[in-house]
């Protein structure tokens, strides 16, 4: 894959000064001065270097909490003064940028829904005129579109912003999955082959959508994919959080987890073992997708069986079976999968479909 021209001029100095992994943590949303203060005070600053909080929250559906707004910027400024932590928030338009900069917020990030909108990204990039020295992080767009993600970086870069980084927060898929957003590690690998110098921060909170998966995703990100940092949502009272309550953890849990992560020796110094492990993670991810799709296929097959019974149609439809098999063999050939394998797999699918429909 071709390397992008951005590579030569990316400024990594900001992240190289900070710990590896750089840990960014704090609540999904700023809710009250007390909540911000308490969460920040309970943060162990020898592990966490940046405090995050969403001030303006882009919600998928209306009538949810859409952020506390400008007043929260002062709370973040106070955190910076009282704890020495750097502070970060999400911006989604020029007005947000102007306000965040006026409160001396150290790091701005562009959220997944905004990265998907070129007009929004352009507006943000234009609004950084004279402030090109800011650290700007770009979350991946909600859907798996690598070009759109890179395009957002190019828009910022062409306005002179060089202290860039990206946040891998996973990708939405229209199917049930154990993740809130699929990690799609293969996309991250492609991203890195095009832009190897841009710091990558993994956001396991938005990938998992729950508390229990965060450590596992963090280990994969840090040990296998060598991400430069982690963004993990934490809250002084996670169960009562106004947004993303199911995935936030307390600062104490976070510390426990970071210790486990940093001292776990999953990463093998041998290059060959590492390459094997990374590929195995890609295979595991594909296997999970295959099983999820298979379960979907079986559900539809069951519905089909109910209709066949209702309309008194024979379970085995020879023409339909031959059509599926031939179509799949043809596609397999185009993609380099042998006829034998396709035939074997589809025979099993077919047998199972008939079984499901019998009962
Ligand atoms: C967030 O960081 O709280 C957030 C809204 O994330 P995303 O843009 O990844 O959905
Ligand atoms: Mn969130």
């Amino acid at each position: 894959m071709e390397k992008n021209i951005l590579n030569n001029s990316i400024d990594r100095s900001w992240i190289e000064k900070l710990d590896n992994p750089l840990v960014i943590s704090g609540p999904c949303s700023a809710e009250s001065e007390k909540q911000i203060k308490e969460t920040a005070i309970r943060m162990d600053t020898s592990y966490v270097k940046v405090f995050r909080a969403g001030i303006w929250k882009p919600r998928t559906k209306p009538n949810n909490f859409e952020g506390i707004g400008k007043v929260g910027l002062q709370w973040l400024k106070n955190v910076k003064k009282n704890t020495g932590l750097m502070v970060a928030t999400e911006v989604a338009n020029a007005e947000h940028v102007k306000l965040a900069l006026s409160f001396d917020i150290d790091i701005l990030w562009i959220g997944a829904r905004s990265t998907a909108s070129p007009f929004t990204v352009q507006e943000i990039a234009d609004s950084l005129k004279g402030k090109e020295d800011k650290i700007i992080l770009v979350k991946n767009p909600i859907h798996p579109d690598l070009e759109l993600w890179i395009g957002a970086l190019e828009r910022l870069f062409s306005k002179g912003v060089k202290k860039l980084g990206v946040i891998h927060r996973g990708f939405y898929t229209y199917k049930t999955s154990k993740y809130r957003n699929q990690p799609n590690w293969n996309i991250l690998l492609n991203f890195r082959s095009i832009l190897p110098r841009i710091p990558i921060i993994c956001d396991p909170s938005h990938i998992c959508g729950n508390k229990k998966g965060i450590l596992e995703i963090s280990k994969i990100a840090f040990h296998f994919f060598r991400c430069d940092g982690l963004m993990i949502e934490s809250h002084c009272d996670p169960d009562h959080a106004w947004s993303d309550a199911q995935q936030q953890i307390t600062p104490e849990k976070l510390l426990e987890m970071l210790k486990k992560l940093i001292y776990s020796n999953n990463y093998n110094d041998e290059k060959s073992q590492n390459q094997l492990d990374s590929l195995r993670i890609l295979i595991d991810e594909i296997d999970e997708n295959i099983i999820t799709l298979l379960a979907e296929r079986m559900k539809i097959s069951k519905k089909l069986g109910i209709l066949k019974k209702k309309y008194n149609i024979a379970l085995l439809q020879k023409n339909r079976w031959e059509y599926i098999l031939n179509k799949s063999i043809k596609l397999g050939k185009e993609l380099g999968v042998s006829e034998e394998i396709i035939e074997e797999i589809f025979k099993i699918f077919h047998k199972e479909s008939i079984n499901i429909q019998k009962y």
Side-chain angles (χ1 to χ4, degrees):
M1 209 156 306
E2 222 169 276
K3 297 232 189 317
N4 189 288
I5 45 152
L6 281 180
N7 273 300
N8 307 329
S9 317
I10 286 298
D11 181 356
R12 283 185 58 88
S13 63
W14 68 273
I15 199 154
E16 277 159 4
K17 279 201 286 259
L18 298 161
D19 286 343
N20 186 10
L22 163 66
V23 180
I24 303 174
S25 190
C28 178
S29 304
E31 298 162 7
S32 67
E33 184 163 20
K34 185 169 169 284
Q35 167 244 15
I36 288 293
K37 225 175 171 173
E38 190 179 333
T39 310
I41 282 173
R42 284 163 53 184
M43 214 63 92
D44 187 323
T45 54
S46 48
Y47 286 84
V48 178
K49 293 292 178 248
V50 183
F51 185 80
R52 65 149 278 161
I55 299 292
W56 300 282
K57 302 298 299 177
R59 307 306 297 270
T60 302
K61 292 272 185 72
N63 307 321
N64 283 312
F65 174 58
E66 293 194 328
I68 206 79
K70 184 178 164 190
V71 63
L73 293 170
Q74 184 61 49
W75 307 340
L76 283 180
K77 200 171 172 187
N78 296 345
V79 165
K80 183 166 158 169
K81 191 168 123 233
N82 298 334
T83 63
L85 285 160
M86 290 170 84
V87 287
T89 200
E90 172 175 346
V91 289
N93 59 38
E95 181 65 13
H96 294 167
V97 173
K98 195 170 128 219
L99 283 169
L101 295 180
S102 73
F103 281 85
D104 213 14
I105 304 299
D106 302 288
I107 300 179
L108 307 181
W109 83 80
I110 300 180
R113 289 158 193 79
S114 301
T115 308
S117 164
F119 284 141
T120 298
V121 176
Q122 193 60 53
E123 178 182 328
I124 293 170
D126 292 342
S127 72
L128 286 161
K129 193 167 167 41
K131 305 282 178 189
E132 295 83 0
D133 214 32
K134 270 283 147 190
I135 302 169
I136 311 289
L137 307 178
V138 181
K139 285 202 170 195
N140 66 257
I142 32 183
H143 54 291
D145 186 339
L146 186 53
E147 286 301 301
L148 202 53
W149 198 4
I150 293 173
L153 293 163
E154 287 173 350
R155 286 177 198 276
L156 289 158
F157 188 77
S158 71
K159 291 289 166 184
V161 182
K162 296 200 171 62
K163 291 183 182 161
L164 287 167
V166 293
I167 303 174
H168 170 228
R169 50 78 82 195
F171 301 89
Y172 175 79
T173 54
Y174 185 64
K175 66 180 168 65
T176 42
S177 157
K178 74 171 186 179
Y179 302 109
R180 179 178 178 193
N181 293 290
Q182 284 280 122
N184 279 346
W185 296 108
N186 56 333
I187 297 183
L188 196 67
L189 287 182
N190 286 344
F191 179 92
R192 186 175 274 151
S193 67
I194 299 169
L195 286 168
R197 296 194 64 251
I198 294 204
I200 298 177
I201 290 156
C202 180
D203 172 350
S205 306
H206 288 90
I207 290 178
C208 297
N210 61 49
K211 307 177 208 289
K212 68 176 194 305
I214 295 176
L215 179 60
E216 189 196 330
I217 293 290
S218 303
K219 278 184 182 171
I220 295 175
F222 181 53
H223 292 301
F224 297 120
F225 292 103
R226 291 311 217 172
C227 287
D228 302 88
L230 295 166
M231 183 189 252
I232 298 174
E233 286 185 341
S234 60
H235 191 291
C236 55
D237 183 9
D239 294 341
H240 295 103
W242 297 1
S243 59
D244 287 352
Q246 66 296 342
Q247 72 195 30
Q248 301 200 62
I249 55 178
T250 61
E252 293 74 25
K253 267 266 167 264
L254 171 74
L255 179 63
E256 213 178 279
M257 211 206 73
L258 289 173
K259 285 183 179 164
K260 276 193 200 145
L261 169 76
I262 292 163
Y263 302 117
S264 67
N265 210 4
N266 282 29
Y267 184 74
N268 194 312
D269 275 334
E270 253 182 68
K271 204 167 173 220
S272 57
Q273 188 57 39
N274 241 333
Q275 285 169 337
L276 283 180
D277 287 340
S278 308
L279 289 179
R280 283 184 177 135
I281 287 163
L282 298 187
I283 295 264
D284 290 350
E285 194 174 27
I286 291 174
D287 288 348
E288 282 169 20
N289 286 335
I290 291 175
I291 295 168
T292 308
L293 287 175
L294 188 58
E296 289 283 313
R297 194 184 197 281
M298 283 160 61
K299 265 192 229 151
I300 297 174
S301 180
K302 178 122 191 126
K303 282 188 192 159
L304 207 52
I306 294 170
L307 284 183
K308 280 180 183 169
K309 258 181 220 146
K310 184 172 168 193
Y311 298 117
N312 219 2
I313 298 170
L315 284 191
L316 180 65
Q317 297 285 319
K318 197 164 164 282
N319 290 350
R320 171 73 182 154
W321 160 239
E322 279 167 3
Y323 166 78
I324 290 180
L325 189 62
N326 291 334
K327 179 174 67 91
S328 306
I329 288 175
K330 184 166 169 275
L331 179 62
K333 270 191 191 144
E334 280 165 22
L335 299 175
V337 187
S338 78
E339 181 166 340
E340 294 71 40
I341 294 200
I342 296 284
E343 198 166 337
E344 264 187 64
I345 291 176
F346 275 81
K347 271 186 184 157
I348 297 173
F349 285 176
H350 190 235
K351 199 170 141 215
E352 183 58 12
S353 277
I354 299 282
N355 271 342
I356 291 174
Q357 294 181 2
K358 265 190 202 149
Y359 305 104

